[in-house]
Amino acid sequence: MRRRTATAISTSIALCNEMLQVLYTCSPHKPRIKQVGSFYSLFSLFTTNHHFSTTTTISSSSTTQNNNTHIDLSSNCFTGIAQSVILKCSQFSDKNKGKAFANASLKDLLLEISDLVPEQTRRLRRVSQLKPEDALELLLGFELQCGKVGFKARKVESLWEIFKWVSEKIKGFKHKPQSCEVMASMLVRVGLLREVESLLSTMESEGILLDSQEIFSDLIEGYVGAGELESAISVYDRIRGRLVPTSQCCGALLNQLVGMRKTHLASRVCMDMAEMGFDLRDVKKATFEGVIRLLCRDGKIQEARNLIKKAMAFDLKPSNSVLNEVAYGYCEKKDFDDLLSFYADIKCAPDVMAGNKIMHSLCSNFGTRRAEPFLQELEHLGFNLDEITFGIMIGWSCREGKLKSAFVYLSEMLARHLKPHKCTYNALISGVFMEGMWKHAGEVFDEMVERGTTPDFSTFRILLAGYCKARQFDEAKRIIFDMARHGLIQNSSDEDPLSRAFIILGFDPLAVTLKRDNDVGFSKTEFYDDLGNGLYLDTDLDEYEERVTGILEDCMVPEYNSLMMKECTLGNLKGALVLVDEMIRWGQDLSLSMISALLRGLSASHSLTKAITSIVDSKPHLVHQLDQEALNVLAQAYIKKGLAFNARIVLNGMIERHLKIKNETYTSLVKGFCKKGNSRELHAYWNIAQNDRWLPRPEDCKALIECLCNKEMLREAVQLLESILISYSQLRSDICHTFIDKLFVSGFTRIASVLLDELEQRGSVLDQMAYTYLIRGLCKEKNFPVAFTLLDNMLAKNWAPCLDVTVELIPQLCRADRFGKAVYLKEIGLRENSSFSLSLDGALIEGCCMSGKVTEATTLLQNMLLKGTLPDAEIYNFLVQGHCKVNSLKTVRELLGFMTRNSFSISLSTYRNLVRLMCLEGRVLHAWRLKELMFEQSDPHDLSIYNILIFYIFPTGNTFLVKKVVEHLQEKKFLVDEVTYNFLVHGFCRFKDVSSAVDHLYTMISMDFRPSNRNLRKVITDLCDIGEIEKALELSREMQLRGWTHDSMIQNAIVDGLLSHGRVQEAENFLDSMVEKCLIPENINYDNIIKRFCSYGRPNKAVNLLDIMLKKGNVPESTSYDSMISSFSALGNLEQAMDFHTEMLDRNLRPSIDTWDILVHNFCEDGKTAEAERLLKCMVRTGETVTRKIYSSVINRYRLENNLGKVSELMQAMQQSGYEPDFETHWSLIRNLRNSSDKDNANSSKGFLSKLLSASGFSRQKYSKAKQG
């Protein structure tokens, strides 16, 4: 079987190769067939028996193929793959990280910030040694400019390096305090917080204490925003008592402390704010109340009370919920006297919830004897009792045996028209039974029913317990029948009602029996029946009494924690949650065990997440007491609700307690932070998860990879991929496909290719889907040459891309003059699935038409018809467009006629090509009539048809017809859009009809359309060209009113026009208005204007324009610098000229020879010969050719100064450069040397003279002959 399969495969491969040769031979271009090496190292085949794709959909990017894939490699080969990919891809580098400044020179650092402060850096480039005043000027200028354009971390970092450089490199340099303050202010603005700390430490070591409230406040806020709470507190403590932070700073710090539940620190900051005189009303109420809650939950009630007292002084009354927290805190401490005084101090009564909590706590700790007078005090303060308050007092009175008091409370309750709760009736019934007044129990029950309170199972159970306790078993039987009537139980005819009663009470019916006492004297008799028979219970009477008494006592005061626990035990989580509100109304608290039980239940019932987390939020002080399992569930629940901040608090607490964070929790955390887009938090916990060896469950892996890729968190995605490849062999193929596909869809082709390369190097093998994904990504990036190379590799391995990639590649292959390969690819697709022939033929015809191969396209059409395949409208549109491109009007007519007869729609692209061809052939009227054909098949109000017509009629020069089109639009009352107007303006400008262009432009503006920048530019330049400068200025004013920027051409045209008319001041004013109104675009170019202003003797304005260019990110041409240097030199301002010359060299711009000559000449004229010589040597160093004129200028100046050494030195250099000094220079040097009185110098000079004259061609013999001649 294997041999037959192998033979079949070999035959298929041979057949494919043979067809490829035939197709290439038929192609007129005949490209060579060659085996192409792998461009990107890619995956190998999983299985050897897999051939071509069987994809059945074109559009889907996640096309599925029937691959029977496997990987049998060791997981060790994937270790370290993530780090390798990260190191090879630039996309993983920190985008915010700039180049290192460690070894940067001052020149480099100044150049880095020169686009912001060119004026200051220009002067400092030539300063031999910076002074503190220079540094301060630079800092102030930088701060001023950043205040206009915004502070960027990169620029401020460069400035910081300059700040440090001058301190470290210049001996004895010490920054002024103001400089330090300005630097610190800018550092903190861009978040360079560590640098600020370093600067402040340096200042303090020098005995300088910064007293800027704003800087320290911003620093604290910066640390808070970065989540570095410890650093924020450290800075706060440093200035505490010395400076007063801003209210905003304290508020931000306080808010963070409350969120992180740092009680002590939050309290301290809040009290500090009060002591510093801050109005506490400026603090967010939620934050202020959060501080009070934290204090109460930590048992610091007195501090909370003091804080409330300070708030009340600002008329800031805390909400009832906060006052309740204080009350609950006092209840925990059992300090009810202080609680009462607290309410008296704030002249406020507790709300019902707090009051009930107080009464329950009082009764449970001190009984009703103390609770009764306390309740009266609360009423005196204005507390309004509700039915639950009375219920609490009734229940506890019954428990204490004060039945009379209980009924007094009942009477008072009814007098206030309050409806008793069922628990109140239950307590009264229990109390009656406990007092032996069983006969009155029925009366209480009847009253309960009459007042509309429906008895529940617990009520009947109390009645059963009471009657059984009183040995009224007939009554107990009656209760059983009543329960059946209420639908609470179902009775059976063969079951004894009394046995059922015992079962409901929790007894074993066989262990409790009712017997008649037959002994003489009735020694065992406990009671008598109606017939006088002595009866007794045959059971353990102590246990019996304990149970029924316990039932009665437990129902006097409901214990909700136990009731909820029973529901949780039965799996009725929803039922347990229903009791929570009741519990709170009765003044009871959830126990820690109950919260744990709710959270354990949450893992099995995610629908109740919101309800349970809300309950936990109300008891945050218990969270840190929960066990590991409960905390993991809680963290996951918070993340599911989107409460990442709450989850972070839980997780931080777990980390502090060294509790294990489960893999499921980390998975939920990553998903949650991805959805929130909180990359900072994600990175923090990602590292923790990695260190904790987190591994998601197999079913979560794909979703996590997709989530990380969607958020472009590629570093994390690659790290997770490595873990999955190592741990889950069964997921390798699927997860790699998912990851690679996501990378390509997101445009990260480079990362995908590196990953594929890395996997192949490690011996991994995958199917051709890897190639398909890579080619699809390359096509998306329009990188077709590389895609073609990969296609060659696929075809060489008998693999083929899926259909959507094939259809996309075929036209591009034709366009790249690879027609044979396009045909071959189409044939492969047809062999795979002939039902796709229309799509494949259409793609090939499209490619032929795109590349001008209309003959081949026509042949393909004929073949389709011969095969019985009917081309669709799209294919005919391709054909028409192709023949339009080769100007084949006859064929176009035939195709158009066929399309019309068959009611095929003409696409807008086809119409555009038709109009272009007809206008090109001079058949403008035919183009005009063609629109009617388009209107038959499309919206008659479609302006695109008219716009295309206008666009192509203009090049014919037939502006009359254009105007006719416009009139036609107006007659038809078309709503002309901005595209139409832009075409009209551009067309009229093109044919120099500036007047019409201006009219249409103003019409466009009046209709609130914005003309294209090209049209604005063209109209203004045309107006200036024809001398209509006033109209150009008028249009500029219209633009200024609307805040439209003036690009380089517009400003150059207007200024050039004004200067040409001698209106220099107006030109300056115009440019100034551009600055004032912020109408200058980025990368503005003033090179031409700079030269013009220099020629008018206005170099200062030229400097201003040059600086604007630099600030807008555009470096002027060297000729602009040349002009300014020349202008400043002419005005005798050599220092400023040299500033620009130095700047040119620093920017790697080459000054012209004339510029060098001007500077050298002017320095010589001013007697600064050494500076002139320095420039000459600078020319040599930079590779410039020093002219004879420049050499002569310096030599002649040194000769005048009688500096023979320099003269001789420069003459030698001049000779080495190929120039011969003139005779006068020679003779002058000889004469001066001969007059020298120093004999040794003369002797030495003789050698020099001989050498010099010989090198110059002035030998003694020649000179003698010349003299004789």
Side-chain angles (χ1 to χ4, degrees):
M1 184 66 184
R2 286 182 181 175
R3 182 175 297 175
R4 288 175 60 190
T5 304
T7 305
I9 292 172
S10 300
T11 305
S12 299
I13 293 172
L15 180 62
C16 289
N17 290 336
E18 183 180 349
M19 288 188 68
L20 180 62
Q21 290 283 1
V22 171
L23 287 166
Y24 279 163
T25 305
C26 294
S27 170
H29 306 288
K30 297 183 180 179
R32 297 187 292 122
I33 303 175
K34 69 173 183 177
Q35 181 69 37
V36 183
S38 177
F39 185 83
Y40 295 103
S41 298
L42 296 169
F43 286 65
S44 302
L45 188 62
F46 263 113
T47 52
T48 57
N49 61 348
H50 192 336
H51 299 299
F52 298 113
S53 166
T54 56
T55 308
T56 59
T57 174
I58 296 178
S59 60
S60 171
S61 65
S62 57
T63 309
T64 334
Q65 295 198 16
N66 183 20
N67 296 320
N68 182 21
T69 60
H70 69 278
I71 292 182
D72 54 0
L73 297 174
S74 167
S75 61
N76 291 332
C77 68
F78 297 111
T79 304
I81 191 171
Q83 186 62 21
S84 182
V85 171
I86 289 168
L87 290 174
K88 291 178 181 179
C89 294
S90 60
Q91 286 97 327
F92 291 107
S93 60
D94 188 353
K95 295 177 182 178
N96 297 319
K97 186 177 180 182
K99 66 181 182 182
F101 292 111
N103 300 316
S105 65
L106 181 61
K107 182 188 81 171
D108 296 330
L109 295 170
L110 288 171
L111 188 63
E112 185 71 27
I113 63 169
S114 62
D115 57 338
L116 275 175
V117 281
E119 306 95 330
Q120 287 84 359
T121 55
R122 186 174 297 125
R123 188 182 64 80
L124 295 179
R125 281 191 177 93
R126 296 181 59 241
V127 173
S128 58
Q129 193 170 30
L130 265 69
K131 298 176 182 177
E133 293 79 9
D134 298 324
L136 177 59
E137 182 186 350
L138 177 64
L139 288 161
L140 290 173
F142 189 96
E143 184 181 41
L144 179 65
Q145 182 61 22
C146 286
K148 298 175 183 176
V149 300
F151 289 83
K152 294 181 181 178
R154 169 75 180 173
K155 296 297 182 183
V156 175
E157 191 178 357
S158 302
L159 184 66
W160 169 240
E161 292 299 325
I162 295 172
F163 188 91
K164 291 191 298 179
W165 191 94
V166 294
S167 297
E168 296 166 1
K169 305 291 184 181
I170 301 177
K171 188 176 181 180
F173 188 96
K174 187 175 181 181
H175 281 290
K176 290 180 173 293
Q178 186 183 357
S179 296
C180 297
E181 185 173 337
V182 173
M183 188 72 250
S185 174
M186 288 188 284
L187 288 170
V188 78
R189 274 175 177 267
V190 296
L192 296 172
L193 308 178
R194 295 282 178 266
E195 287 77 2
V196 181
E197 290 264 39
S198 171
L199 175 57
L200 294 175
S201 298
T202 303
M203 290 175 66
E204 289 174 6
S205 67
E206 295 174 357
I208 303 172
L209 289 178
L210 189 64
D211 59 356
S212 172
Q213 173 199 43
E214 184 179 355
I215 290 174
F216 280 106
S217 297
D218 289 345
L219 182 57
I220 293 169
E221 281 192 77
Y223 277 129
V224 169
E228 298 184 36
L229 196 54
E230 290 183 8
S231 299
I233 287 295
S234 173
V235 177
Y236 178 82
D237 287 338
R238 186 191 302 179
I239 65 170
R240 192 182 182 206
R242 184 167 66 87
L243 291 174
V244 178
T246 62
S247 175
Q248 181 179 335
C249 161
C250 291
L253 178 59
L254 191 59
N255 188 57
Q256 185 77 355
L257 290 169
V258 170
M260 296 303 294
R261 297 176 186 171
K262 303 292 184 181
T263 307
H264 173 69
L265 293 172
S267 171
R268 181 158 66 85
V269 171
C270 199
M271 294 300 287
D272 285 349
M273 290 180 71
E275 290 173 6
M276 287 186 288
F278 285 115
D279 189 337
L280 294 180
R281 287 173 295 187
D282 294 337
V283 181
K284 289 181 183 178
K285 190 173 183 181
T287 302
F288 173 72
E289 292 186 345
V291 178
I292 298 173
R293 285 193 175 92
L294 289 176
L295 290 168
C296 293
R297 290 165 184 174
D298 283 4
K300 299 176 180 179
I301 309 303
Q302 189 58 46
E303 292 182 36
R305 183 172 177 173
N306 293 339
L307 197 54
I308 290 174
K309 186 176 180 181
K310 288 183 179 293
M312 299 286 277
F314 290 97
D315 295 326
L316 180 64
K317 183 184 177 182
S319 63
N320 281 338
S321 63
V322 171
L323 297 177
N324 290 353
E325 292 283 353
V326 177
Y328 299 160
Y330 274 121
C331 289
E332 288 286 330
K333 298 181 73 173
K334 303 175 185 178
D335 190 351
F336 296 99
D337 291 335
D338 273 0
L339 173 58
L340 195 61
S341 68
F342 166 69
Y343 280 115
D345 285 347
I346 63 174
K347 297 180 176 61
C348 175
D351 64 8
V352 173
M353 191 179 295
N356 290 345
K357 168 72 176 176
I358 294 166
M359 298 316 299
H360 175 78
S361 184
L362 258 172
C363 291
S364 60
N365 286 291
F366 300 105
T368 57
R369 181 179 177 183
R370 185 166 177 189
E372 289 174 3
F374 196 93
L375 182 58
Q376 293 172 6
E377 292 288 346
L378 289 181
E379 281 194 278
H380 179 70
L381 288 171
F383 175 61
N384 293 314
L385 287 74
D386 69 349
E387 66 274 11
I388 303 299
T389 317
F390 282 108
I392 292 168
M393 296 305 296
I394 289 170
W396 283 101
S397 295
C398 291
R399 177 169 283 189
E400 294 174 6
K402 299 177 179 179
L403 194 58
K404 181 180 178 181
S405 297
F407 277 101
V408 170
Y409 282 120
L410 178 64
S411 175
E412 179 66 23
M413 187 194 318
L414 296 174
R416 299 189 186 192
H417 305 290
L418 296 173
K419 182 180 178 181
H421 192 272
K422 66 181 178 182
C423 290
T424 302
Y425 282 117
N426 289 348
L428 288 167
I429 293 170
S430 296
V432 168
F433 278 124
M434 289 297 291
E435 293 298 319
M437 301 168 64
W438 62 269
K439 291 182 180 179
H440 298 286
E443 297 172 7
V444 177
F445 179 79
D446 292 341
E447 167 116 357
M448 176 182 182
V449 175
E450 287 174 9
R451 290 191 174 275
T453 303
T454 304
D456 61 2
F457 188 87
S458 63
T459 307
F460 286 107
R461 191 163 180 263
I462 292 167
L463 289 167
L464 286 174
Y467 284 126
C468 287
K469 180 178 177 63
R471 306 303 192 263
Q472 300 300 313
F473 295 110
D474 289 337
E475 292 293 328
K477 292 177 183 178
R478 181 179 61 78
I479 295 300
I480 290 296
F481 291 121
D482 283 349
M483 291 179 73
R485 280 196 301 273
H486 281 83
L488 298 174
I489 62 171
Q490 288 184 347
N491 282 337
S492 59
S493 57
D494 58 345
E495 185 179 21
D496 178 27
L498 191 56
S499 295
R500 187 64 183 273
F502 288 146
I503 291 172
I504 291 172
L505 294 174
F507 292 115
D508 180 356
L510 298 177
V512 182
T513 56
L514 190 63
K515 292 185 177 181
R516 187 170 65 184
D517 186 0
N518 295 321
D519 292 346
V520 179
F522 302 106
S523 59
K524 296 180 180 179
T525 297
E526 294 184 50
F527 55 92
Y528 298 91
D529 61 12
D530 294 339
L531 299 175
N533 295 315
L535 301 172
Y536 70 93
L537 280 172
D538 185 15
T539 187
D540 184 341
L541 291 178
D542 290 338
E543 182 185 344
Y544 178 86
E545 289 295 335
E546 183 180 352
R547 181 178 292 275
V548 294
T549 301
I551 291 171
L552 293 173
E553 288 179 345
D554 289 346
C555 289
M556 291 177 182
V557 178
E559 178 52 53
Y560 279 97
N561 274 302
S562 61
L563 293 173
M564 291 174 65
M565 190 63 76
K566 287 179 183 177
E567 296 294 338
C568 287
T569 304
L570 295 172
N572 185 12
L573 198 62
K574 188 178 289 187
L577 290 172
V578 169
L579 296 172
V580 173
D581 289 336
E582 283 290 305
M583 167 187 270
I584 295 170
R585 288 186 66 200
W586 282 83
Q588 298 181 30
D589 277 332
L590 276 168
S591 64
L592 180 64
S593 60
M594 191 62 246
I595 292 177
S596 295
L598 287 173
L599 287 170
R600 283 194 296 273
L602 183 59
S603 59
S605 179
H606 294 296
S607 61
L608 301 173
T609 299
K610 184 176 181 180
I612 293 177
T613 51
S614 297
I615 291 169
V616 176
D617 287 343
S618 67
K619 302 292 177 186
H621 58 291
L622 295 179
V623 171
H624 71 278
Q625 300 177 38
L626 293 170
D627 60 18
Q628 178 177 291
E629 187 69 27
L631 287 171
N632 272 289
V633 173
L634 180 60
Q636 292 173 42
Y638 276 137
I639 294 164
K640 186 176 180 181
K641 275 185 66 181
L643 301 173
F645 187 80
N646 300 55
R648 187 179 72 175
I649 293 173
V650 173
L651 292 170
N652 287 346
M654 292 181 71
I655 293 168
E656 289 174 6
R657 293 169 61 190
H658 305 291
L659 299 178
K660 174 69 176 175
I661 300 175
K662 297 174 72 174
N663 280 341
E664 292 83 355
T665 305
Y666 280 127
T667 299
S668 299
L669 195 69
V670 171
K671 287 182 180 178
F673 282 134
C674 275
K675 287 178 182 177
K676 285 280 186 182
N678 192 334
S679 58
R680 184 172 61 84
E681 294 285 0
L682 175 60
H683 289 308
Y685 285 102
W686 181 272
N687 293 332
I688 295 172
Q690 292 293 304
N691 294 334
D692 210 9
R693 301 186 180 222
W694 160 60
L695 184 68
R697 293 176 302 184
E699 58 267 29
D700 293 323
C701 291
K702 191 171 181 179
L704 279 168
I705 287 288
E706 289 181 347
C707 191
L708 291 168
C709 288
N710 288 339
K711 293 295 180 182
E712 297 188 5
M713 297 177 176
L714 303 179
R715 181 186 297 270
E716 291 76 14
V718 173
Q719 290 172 347
L720 180 59
L721 177 68
E722 178 181 322
S723 300
I724 295 168
L725 291 174
I726 292 172
S727 304
Y728 299 127
S729 59
Q730 74 277 15
L731 295 179
R732 287 172 186 164
S733 174
D734 191 35
I735 208 72
C736 280
H737 283 168
T738 299
F739 189 37
I740 293 165
D741 188 32
K742 279 290 179 184
L743 288 174
F744 288 132
V745 168
S746 304
F748 295 106
T749 307
R750 170 62 183 163
I751 296 175
S753 61
V754 170
L755 175 61
L756 293 172
D757 183 52
E758 197 64 37
L759 285 164
E760 186 185 45
Q761 288 179 16
R762 292 165 185 265
S764 298
V765 284
L766 276 182
D767 58 18
Q768 66 263 42
M769 283 304 293
Y771 273 98
T772 299
Y773 287 138
L774 187 51
I775 292 175
R776 185 183 286 124
L778 290 166
C779 289
K780 184 179 178 182
E781 295 178 357
K782 307 299 181 187
N783 193 350
F784 294 110
V786 178
F788 297 157
T789 305
L790 291 175
L791 176 66
D792 292 338
N793 291 341
M794 286 191 75
L795 297 177
K797 294 183 179 184
N798 280 352
W799 294 346
C802 57
L803 188 63
D804 66 315
V805 175
T806 300
V807 169
E808 188 169 3
L809 281 173
I810 287 173
Q812 299 302 329
L813 285 166
C814 293
R815 203 172 197 175
D817 202 21
R818 300 184 67 178
F819 179 68
K821 182 59 66 71
V823 173
Y824 180 47
L825 195 57
K826 188 203 83 167
E827 294 301 325
I828 291 172
L830 287 175
R831 282 204 307 272
E832 288 296 310
N833 197 326
S834 59
S835 63
F836 295 138
S837 63
L838 186 63
S839 298
L840 293 165
D841 285 328
L844 190 56
I845 289 173
E846 180 190 2
C848 290
C849 293
M850 285 169 59
S851 56
K853 296 180 174 64
V854 292
T855 304
E856 290 86 343
T858 304
T859 303
L860 288 167
L861 177 67
Q862 292 169 351
N863 291 337
M864 287 179 69
L865 295 171
L866 288 172
K867 290 187 297 183
T869 304
L870 295 177
D872 57 13
E874 185 180 24
I875 291 177
Y876 279 106
N877 274 291
F878 287 146
L879 286 164
V880 172
Q881 292 171 37
H883 283 283
C884 283
K885 286 181 180 178
V886 297
N887 301 332
S888 179
L889 190 58
K890 180 181 177 182
T891 308
V892 167
R893 283 178 181 168
E894 294 172 0
L895 288 168
L896 204 57
F898 181 83
M899 291 180 72
T900 306
R901 290 192 298 274
N902 288 274
S903 301
F904 284 157
S905 297
I906 300 172
S907 70
L908 204 61
S909 179
T910 300
Y911 172 71
R912 183 184 299 109
N913 280 274
L914 286 168
V915 173
R916 182 197 64 80
L917 177 60
M918 290 178 181
C919 289
L920 187 68
E921 296 287 334
R923 302 173 184 268
V924 181
L925 292 177
H926 288 80
W928 168 258
R929 296 191 193 101
L930 188 62
K931 72 179 186 331
E932 303 301 330
L933 180 62
M934 290 297 293
F935 284 143
E936 290 177 7
Q937 65 177 34
S938 61
D939 182 5
H941 297 287
D942 189 356
L943 268 177
S944 301
I945 295 169
Y946 285 104
N947 290 340
I948 291 169
L949 199 57
I950 291 169
F951 183 82
Y952 285 108
I953 291 175
F954 263 121
T956 67
N958 194 340
T959 56
F960 172 77
L961 186 56
V962 171
K963 293 177 180 179
K964 185 178 177 182
V965 173
V966 175
E967 290 171 3
H968 180 76
L969 288 171
Q970 292 169 347
E971 289 172 6
K972 297 288 186 181
K973 296 185 178 179
F974 272 75
L975 294 175
V976 181
D977 61 10
E978 57 189 293
V979 176
T980 311
Y981 279 116
N982 274 315
F983 281 170
L984 289 168
V985 173
H986 176 71
F988 283 120
C989 282
R990 185 175 180 181
F991 285 92
K992 304 303 179 184
D993 189 351
V994 182
S995 177
S996 297
V998 171
D999 289 342
H1000 284 294
L1001 189 72
Y1002 275 108
T1003 303
M1004 187 179 186
I1005 293 172
S1006 67
M1007 296 177 68
D1008 290 331
F1009 290 141
R1010 192 192 192 287
S1012 67
N1013 290 332
R1014 180 181 67 171
N1015 282 342
L1016 289 169
R1017 185 165 54 241
K1018 183 64 177 168
V1019 170
I1020 288 178
T1021 52
D1022 283 356
L1023 286 171
C1024 292
D1025 287 345
I1026 63 176
E1028 295 284 357
I1029 188 66
E1030 293 302 330
K1031 289 185 178 180
L1033 287 169
E1034 182 184 346
L1035 180 55
S1036 170
R1037 284 191 287 273
E1038 289 290 336
M1039 292 175 65
Q1040 292 178 46
L1041 286 172
R1042 289 162 176 77
W1044 296 345
T1045 56
H1046 289 50
D1047 66 18
S1048 301
M1049 287 188 68
I1050 292 174
Q1051 292 193 49
N1052 273 274
I1054 292 175
V1055 172
D1056 199 49
L1058 289 170
L1059 292 176
S1060 298
H1061 289 79
R1063 298 158 68 175
V1064 181
Q1065 191 56 52
E1066 284 186 59
E1068 288 197 28
N1069 294 340
F1070 170 77
L1071 290 168
D1072 291 340
S1073 69
M1074 293 294 101
V1075 176
E1076 292 167 7
K1077 295 177 181 179
C1078 302
L1079 301 178
I1080 302 174
E1082 296 299 315
N1083 295 313
I1084 188 71
N1085 190 313
Y1086 285 131
D1087 281 317
N1088 183 57
I1089 306 177
I1090 287 170
K1091 296 164 194 169
R1092 292 294 302 274
F1093 274 110
C1094 287
S1095 67
Y1096 276 90
R1098 302 284 184 102
N1100 290 330
K1101 187 59 188 177
V1103 171
N1104 175 250
L1105 295 174
L1106 183 139
D1107 289 344
I1108 291 173
M1109 282 185 69
L1110 291 171
K1111 290 174 182 178
K1112 290 294 183 178
N1114 193 12
V1115 178
E1117 295 176 352
S1118 58
T1119 52
S1120 296
Y1121 281 96
D1122 287 335
S1123 297
M1124 287 194 298
I1125 293 169
S1126 175
S1127 184
F1128 279 119
S1129 298
L1131 295 172
N1133 193 341
L1134 277 179
E1135 286 301 312
Q1136 201 159 359
M1138 280 303 298
D1139 286 344
F1140 284 100
H1141 182 264
T1142 305
E1143 183 174 329
M1144 281 188 80
L1145 297 178
D1146 287 350
R1147 294 188 183 280
N1148 294 321
L1149 297 175
R1150 296 185 63 178
S1152 67
I1153 294 297
D1154 288 342
T1155 297
W1156 289 102
D1157 185 34
I1158 289 168
L1159 288 171
V1160 170
H1161 176 76
N1162 277 275
F1163 275 122
C1164 290
E1165 286 291 315
D1166 284 3
K1168 298 178 180 178
T1169 321
E1171 188 66 23
E1173 183 188 2
R1174 189 191 66 77
L1175 281 173
L1176 187 150
K1177 291 180 177 178
C1178 181
M1179 288 182 72
V1180 175
R1181 279 198 311 273
T1182 55
E1184 292 289 347
T1185 302
V1186 185
T1187 64
R1188 174 192 292 274
K1189 184 179 178 182
I1190 292 174
Y1191 272 121
S1192 298
S1193 294
V1194 182
I1195 290 172
N1196 290 337
R1197 187 66 202 183
Y1198 272 131
R1199 185 161 55 84
L1200 288 175
E1201 295 172 359
N1202 203 27
N1203 191 338
L1204 302 183
K1206 285 292 183 182
V1207 171
S1208 62
E1209 178 186 331
L1210 289 173
M1211 285 181 67
Q1212 282 185 312
M1214 185 177 179
Q1215 288 178 321
Q1216 289 170 1
S1217 298
Y1219 300 119
E1220 296 296 338
D1222 57 27
F1223 178 78
E1224 183 183 353
T1225 303
H1226 272 285
W1227 181 246
S1228 175
L1229 180 60
I1230 294 168
R1231 187 174 64 248
N1232 282 296
L1233 286 170
R1234 188 175 58 186
N1235 293 334
S1236 174
S1237 59
D1238 190 330
K1239 184 177 180 181
D1240 293 333
N1241 284 342
N1243 292 334
S1244 64
S1245 297
K1246 184 178 179 181
F1248 164 72
L1249 277 175
S1250 175
K1251 181 179 178 182
L1252 178 64
L1253 293 171
S1254 174
S1256 304
F1258 288 98
S1259 63
R1260 180 185 300 272
Q1261 290 81 358
K1262 287 184 179 181
Y1263 182 69
S1264 299
K1265 291 178 181 178
K1267 190 175 180 180
Q1268 289 173 3

